[in-house]
Amino acid sequence: MNIEKTAVFPGSFDPITVGHESIIRRAIPLFDKIIVLIGINAEKKSMFSLEQRLKWLKDTFSDCPTIEIASHSGLTVDFCKQAGANYILRGLRTAADFEFERSIGQTNKSLISDIDTIFMLTLPEHSYITSSIVRDVFRNGGDVARFIPNKINIKS
C-alpha cells in the first residue's frame, strides 16, 4: 500500500523569505505534496494582507506542481488532519529555534499522535534572515530584494 507523504509547512510568511523558499524547495524530493500554510492569528497584526501573502507564495512556487498554498485559522494539526498530512515541516536557524520548535512539535504530537514534525536546517547564508528583519528593513526604506524570493517584489 502506497500512502502519499504530505507535509504542511506553516508560517505567517509576512513576508516569505529566501530562507522559507530554500527549506520548501529542498524538501520537495522528500514528500509527494507540500502544503504551504499561512496560519491566521487574529491576535497578531500582519504588515501585509493575507491576499498579498497568498499571491506571493503562489508566484514563488508557480513552477512546483507538488506544492499547494492554503490558509487556516486554528491549530495546524487540525488542518493536517483535514488535509490528510502526516508531517509538519519546519526550518531551524538557531538552537533557540530548535528549543521553541521542539516544544511545539511535542505538543502537536500529544494532540494528534500520527503527525510527525520534520526539521530541516536553514542554509548558513540564510540563518540571519527573518520576516521580522525584512519588515523592519522595508519599513525603514531599505532594499529587501536579497531577502525575498526573486519572483516577488515588495514596494512601499
Side-chain angles (χ1 to χ4, degrees):
M1 178 160 96
N2 188 12
I3 297 173
E4 184 177 74
K5 291 181 296 198
T6 300
V8 171
F9 186 86
S12 63
F13 305 105
D14 189 32
I16 182 174
T17 69
V18 291
H20 294 130
E21 179 185 23
S22 170
I23 293 286
I24 295 164
R25 288 188 183 277
R26 288 170 37 225
I28 289 172
L30 304 175
F31 300 100
D32 299 308
K33 177 169 56 173
I34 299 172
I35 303 169
V36 182
L37 179 69
I38 297 176
I40 301 168
N41 183 343
E43 296 179 14
K44 189 174 178 184
K45 177 77 172 114
S46 299
M47 177 177 254
F48 301 101
S49 71
L50 175 61
E51 294 73 24
Q52 183 63 72
R53 292 179 284 150
L54 287 166
K55 181 182 182 328
W56 285 335
L57 288 168
K58 288 175 184 172
D59 290 349
T60 298
F61 298 108
S62 62
D63 61 326
C64 304
T66 61
I67 293 182
E68 294 179 11
I69 310 302
S71 63
H72 176 72
S73 178
L75 295 175
T76 300
V77 289
D78 289 341
F79 178 87
C80 289
K81 248 337 193 197
Q82 293 166 2
N86 288 67
Y87 303 97
I88 296 173
L89 176 64
R90 299 298 294 154
L92 298 175
R93 293 181 314 250
T94 65
D97 279 356
F98 173 73
E99 290 302 326
F100 177 74
E101 294 293 345
R102 180 175 59 119
S103 296
I104 294 171
Q106 289 173 329
T107 301
N108 287 337
K109 188 74 170 166
S110 74
L111 291 171
I112 301 182
S113 63
D114 61 346
I115 295 177
D116 285 305
T117 300
I118 307 294
F119 298 118
M120 288 188 73
L121 298 179
T122 301
L123 296 177
E125 61 267 28
H126 298 149
S127 64
Y128 68 96
I129 301 170
T130 67
S131 293
S132 298
I133 289 172
V134 174
R135 287 192 306 271
D136 195 45
V137 170
F138 177 76
R139 195 176 4 255
N140 289 288
D143 181 8
V144 297
R146 76 189 71 152
F147 307 123
I148 58 175
N150 290 334
K151 291 186 178 182
I152 68 172
N153 186 11
I154 299 177
K155 297 284 184 197
S156 55

